[in-house]
């Protein structure tokens, strides 16, 4: 969901006046990438379930060198920045009007806030809000009854303290109560000062408490206590916390996506009465996404998309799925085609046009490396048989039209090269099980399919088969 607009500022004035930006863009921060010739960076934020279901944008990409305005949902919010060549996110608590600068000093990445022309470090972690007080030190000590910290390679990991496992169920209620009391005291101390910064702290403390509880529950696996915990978690109070959306996501995956005891359609058809309406809707949105991911047939997915629309009136945030399965396009046994000049046709029309010629059909895509590696061999094969009654046809499957056009021009395959407009809904694709490319087919001079999965152009077999057919 990378959709926000990037905008380039003058490169000789990297540090700007924040006051003007606060007035012009009250809900945004400015991010300046001062690096040169490096990977782009992804900036992303957490959304509440409500924002997610409205289809709000969660992330943006900043290239180098460039300047980006990034929208916040609250005046104080945690954002994450990570380079695209590795998943190594850094978190920053920012407020509207802030300017961040991405730079490198002695080959080490630095991201700082710009204040009065100076760079102020602002990297954030939970040590900013979780105190090393007697209360929390005691909690850490009690937690060691369930979890022990061990170093695996270069990482510190929490593992089950197996030697105490016989007593886990007895100690668990007391420990969960201690977690609740410790965090309640901390939250109460923060809530004495009602401002946006403390609101953010409050939400982040809640997340840390929940993660700590989940860690212990996942080890002990006490069904009664786990059920009590999630019943408390799925309330509107917690749903408004934007930093819990990934926790709801983890719950969904464990409860539904990876549950082999019940199918996704069966889960969708239950009423979800035990959850608030917005969480029920979130689960239904995720269930349709899971159906796509698990490659349910198109008719099934369309059925549940229509149910979703009837119940909620819109498809946000399912736009990507709608495009993926070509929602609103009627299923057809034929292939809907457009050529490089944007002329519209279909496969059956083209076959009639080429009657009397052998057809060597190549399913490919601009993103498919094996397809592109085979193209020079296809051109060679075409040259070898140039004087024969044969036509080489290229059909771009599951591609994007602009990428197809660029690749067609770059690889000089304009002639008889077509973009398939109904890759997802054509029965031709499903009937012949074209689920991997490159894929080749051969049709005889009467348009009859005689090789459903023909050899590729780089093989001797392809030349031999085509040469033999041309003798007839």
């Amino acid at each position: 969901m990378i959709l926000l607009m990037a905008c380039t500022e003058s490169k000789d004035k990297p540090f700007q006046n924040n006051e003007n930006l606060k007035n012009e863009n009250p809900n945004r921060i400015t991010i300046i990438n001062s690096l040169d010739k490096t990977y782009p960076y992804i900036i992303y934020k957490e959304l509440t379930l409500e924002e997610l279901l409205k289809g709000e944008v969660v992330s943006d990409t900043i290239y180098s060198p460039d300047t980006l305005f990034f929208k916040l949902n609250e005046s104080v919010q945690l954002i994450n920045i990570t380079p695209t060549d590795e998943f190594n996110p850094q978190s920053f608590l920012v407020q509207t009007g802030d300017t961040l600068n991405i730079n490198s000093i002695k080959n080490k990445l630095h991201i700082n806030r710009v204040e009065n022309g100076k760079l102020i470090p602002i990297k954030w972690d939970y040590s900013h809000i979780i105190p090393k007080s007697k209360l929390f030190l005691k909690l850490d000590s009690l937690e060691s009854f369930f979890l022990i910290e061990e170093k695996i390679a270069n990482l510190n990991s929490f593992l089950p303290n197996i030697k105490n496992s016989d007593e886990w169920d007895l100690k668990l209620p007391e420990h969960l109560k201690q977690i609740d009391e410790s965090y309640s005291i901390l939250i109460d101390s923060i809530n004495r000062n009602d401002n946006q910064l403390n609101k953010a702290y409050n939400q982040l403390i809640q997340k840390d408490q929940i993660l700590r509880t989940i860690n212990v529950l996942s080890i002990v696996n006490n069904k009664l206590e786990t059920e009590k915990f999630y019943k408390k978690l799925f309330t509107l109070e917690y749903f408004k916390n934007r930093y819990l959306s990934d926790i709801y996501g983890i719950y969904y995956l464990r409860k539904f996506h990876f549950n082999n005891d019940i199918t996704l359609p069966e889960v969708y058809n239950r009423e979800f009465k035990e959850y608030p309406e917005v969480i029920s809707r979130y689960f239904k949105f995720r269930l349709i996404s899971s159906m796509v991911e698990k490659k349910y047939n198109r008719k099934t997915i369309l059925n549940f998309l229509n149910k979703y629309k009837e119940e909620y009136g819109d498809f946000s945030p399912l736009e990507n799925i709608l495009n993926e399965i070509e929602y609103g396009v009627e299923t057809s046994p034929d292939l809907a085609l457009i050529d490089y000049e944007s002329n519209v046709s279909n496969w059956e029309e083209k076959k009639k046009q080429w009657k009397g010629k052998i057809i060597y059909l190549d399913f490919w895509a601009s993103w498919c490396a094996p397809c592109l590696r085979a193209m020079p061999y296809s051109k060679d094969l075409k040259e070898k048989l140039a004087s024969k009654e044969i036509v080489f046809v290229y059909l771009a499957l599951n591609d994007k039209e602009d990428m197809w056009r660029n690749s067609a021009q770059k690889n000089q395959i304009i002639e008889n090269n077509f973009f398939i407009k109904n890759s997802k809904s054509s029965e031709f694709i499903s009937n012949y099980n074209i689920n991997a490319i490159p894929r080749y087919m051969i049709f005889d001079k009467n348009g009859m399919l005689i090789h459903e999965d023909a050899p590729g152009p780089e093989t001797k077999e392809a030349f031999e088969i085509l040469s033999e057919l041309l003798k007839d």
Side-chain angles (χ1 to χ4, degrees):
M1 295 189 289
I2 299 172
L3 196 64
L4 284 173
M5 189 186 332
C7 140
T8 304
E9 297 289 311
S10 172
K11 301 299 182 297
D12 57 357
K13 293 183 179 179
F15 300 153
Q16 303 173 34
N17 187 329
N18 267 6
E19 291 305 315
N20 292 335
L21 288 169
K22 286 180 183 178
N23 295 331
E24 294 172 12
N25 305 293
N27 297 317
R28 294 178 179 180
I29 60 171
T30 304
I31 302 173
I32 302 168
N33 189 353
S34 301
L35 297 171
D36 212 1
K37 296 181 181 178
T38 189
Y39 292 98
Y41 285 78
I42 303 292
I43 297 93
Y44 63 97
K45 59 189 177 182
E46 283 89 356
L47 299 178
T48 64
L49 294 188
E50 188 173 39
E51 292 163 353
L52 179 65
L53 292 170
K54 288 178 180 177
E56 287 202 27
V57 174
V58 69
S59 64
D60 201 356
T61 305
I62 184 168
Y63 298 85
S64 58
D66 204 355
T67 298
L68 172 76
F69 295 140
F70 189 74
K71 179 185 175 184
L72 300 181
N73 297 80
E74 297 183 24
S75 60
V76 178
Q77 191 168 348
L78 197 70
I79 66 164
N80 304 283
I81 301 178
T82 186
T84 53
D85 63 323
E86 57 177 306
F87 186 71
N88 183 26
Q90 295 186 29
S91 297
F92 305 92
L93 197 62
V94 297
Q95 61 182 1
T96 53
D98 276 353
T99 297
L100 304 189
N101 177 262
I102 302 174
N103 213 329
S104 178
I105 301 174
K106 295 182 179 179
N107 295 321
K108 187 175 181 180
L109 179 67
H110 290 265
I111 303 176
N112 299 290
R113 180 190 287 120
V114 181
E115 289 185 7
N116 299 319
K118 296 181 180 180
L119 301 178
I120 312 296
I122 59 164
K123 190 174 179 181
W124 187 92
D125 61 47
Y126 275 99
S127 66
H128 288 73
I129 53 174
I130 306 300
K132 288 296 181 185
S133 62
K134 289 182 179 180
L135 189 66
F136 277 85
L137 290 173
K138 179 182 177 183
L139 190 59
D140 291 341
S141 175
L142 290 171
E143 195 160 86
S144 66
F145 185 85
F146 304 94
L147 302 168
I148 53 175
E149 188 175 3
E150 289 190 11
K151 194 161 188 175
I152 301 177
N154 295 321
L155 298 174
N156 290 328
S157 300
F158 287 97
L159 302 175
N161 191 348
I162 298 299
K163 69 178 184 179
N164 296 328
S165 59
D166 290 341
E167 300 178 68
W168 280 349
D169 283 331
L170 290 173
K171 292 282 189 180
L172 182 62
E174 178 189 345
H175 182 66
L176 295 179
K177 182 181 177 182
Q178 187 69 46
I179 291 176
D180 287 347
E181 288 178 355
S182 300
Y183 280 89
S184 293
I185 292 171
L186 179 58
I187 288 172
D188 286 345
S189 69
I190 286 176
N191 285 342
R192 292 171 192 161
N193 299 309
D194 185 18
N195 57 49
Q196 288 299 312
L197 178 61
N198 287 337
K199 178 185 175 183
Y201 282 166
N202 194 325
Q203 292 183 334
L204 289 162
I205 289 168
Q206 281 185 337
K207 179 175 183 178
D208 193 67
Q209 176 184 354
I210 289 166
L211 286 173
R212 187 188 283 257
T213 305
I214 288 174
N215 282 340
V216 175
L217 287 173
S218 64
I219 293 297
V220 177
N221 195 26
N222 182 301
K223 291 185 179 180
L224 178 62
E225 293 294 343
T226 301
E227 213 45 52
K228 282 168 59 178
F229 167 74
Y230 279 112
K231 187 174 182 179
K232 183 172 66 173
L233 179 61
F234 286 103
T235 63
L236 289 177
E237 175 198 353
Y238 284 111
F239 132 76
K240 292 177 182 178
N241 184 337
R242 70 179 59 259
Y243 303 107
L244 299 185
S245 58
D246 56 344
I247 291 174
Y248 289 123
I250 292 169
Y251 174 85
Y252 165 79
L253 291 173
R254 290 176 178 171
K255 183 82 172 176
F256 304 123
H257 184 89
F258 295 118
N259 186 349
N260 294 323
D261 295 330
I262 187 170
T263 66
L264 297 176
E266 287 173 332
V267 174
Y268 191 102
N269 286 327
R270 54 180 284 188
E271 296 185 14
F272 291 103
K273 285 185 177 178
E274 67 270 38
Y275 304 112
E277 188 272 343
V278 69
I279 297 175
S280 171
R281 180 178 177 185
Y282 168 75
F283 285 154
K284 290 179 180 180
F285 144 65
R286 290 295 303 266
L287 284 164
I288 295 174
S289 300
S290 291
M291 290 179 200
V292 174
E293 186 178 335
K294 292 189 173 186
K295 300 189 183 304
Y296 275 66
N297 69 63
R298 184 173 182 267
K299 288 182 180 178
T300 299
I301 297 170
L302 285 173
N303 176 45
F304 285 99
L305 276 169
N306 288 328
K307 282 188 176 185
Y308 187 94
K309 185 176 183 181
E310 286 174 13
E311 190 168 1
Y312 302 112
D314 67 68
F315 283 112
S316 297
L318 292 165
E319 292 298 329
N320 289 338
I321 292 176
L322 299 180
N323 294 331
E324 176 72 13
I325 68 166
E326 297 168 351
Y327 184 82
V329 177
E330 290 187 14
T331 301
S332 167
D334 206 351
L335 296 170
L337 308 175
I338 58 171
D339 66 16
Y340 194 80
E341 302 300 326
S342 299
N343 299 308
V344 177
S345 60
N346 60 55
W347 175 242
E348 290 300 322
E349 287 176 3
K350 287 297 174 184
K351 277 204 305 180
K352 290 177 184 176
Q353 177 182 323
W354 295 317
K355 189 172 182 179
K357 295 183 178 181
I358 303 296
I359 302 171
Y360 186 69
L361 182 59
D362 178 346
F363 286 95
W364 72 293
S366 62
W367 47 262
C368 170
C371 302
L372 298 176
R373 282 197 295 268
M375 282 300 175
Y377 296 100
S378 182
K379 291 178 185 177
D380 290 344
L381 187 59
K382 183 179 179 181
E383 287 180 12
K384 288 179 183 177
L385 301 170
S387 61
K388 309 295 183 180
E389 293 297 312
I390 183 170
V391 58
F392 285 75
V393 181
Y394 306 90
L395 301 185
L397 179 73
N398 295 335
D399 211 342
K400 293 184 177 179
E401 188 174 343
D402 57 342
M403 293 174 64
W404 161 71
R405 288 184 183 279
N406 290 338
S407 187
Q409 186 176 50
K410 181 179 177 180
N411 291 283
Q412 297 180 326
I413 44 170
I414 304 297
E415 185 183 17
N416 295 329
N417 188 356
F418 302 88
F419 175 79
I420 303 175
K421 294 179 67 178
N422 59 343
S423 293
K424 304 294 182 183
S425 54
S426 171
E427 290 179 352
F428 185 101
I429 303 300
S430 55
N431 288 344
Y432 291 109
N433 197 29
I434 305 173
N435 52 22
I437 53 177
R439 173 79 174 270
Y440 305 94
M441 292 181 172
I442 298 175
F443 294 78
D444 68 13
K445 293 180 180 180
N446 294 312
M448 297 295 294
L449 179 62
I450 54 175
H451 282 281
E452 186 176 316
D453 195 357
E458 73 279 7
T459 65
K460 291 181 180 179
E461 290 86 351
F463 178 76
E464 290 171 356
I465 291 171
L466 294 173
S467 297
E468 192 64 32
L469 288 169
L470 289 166
K471 291 178 183 178
D472 297 339

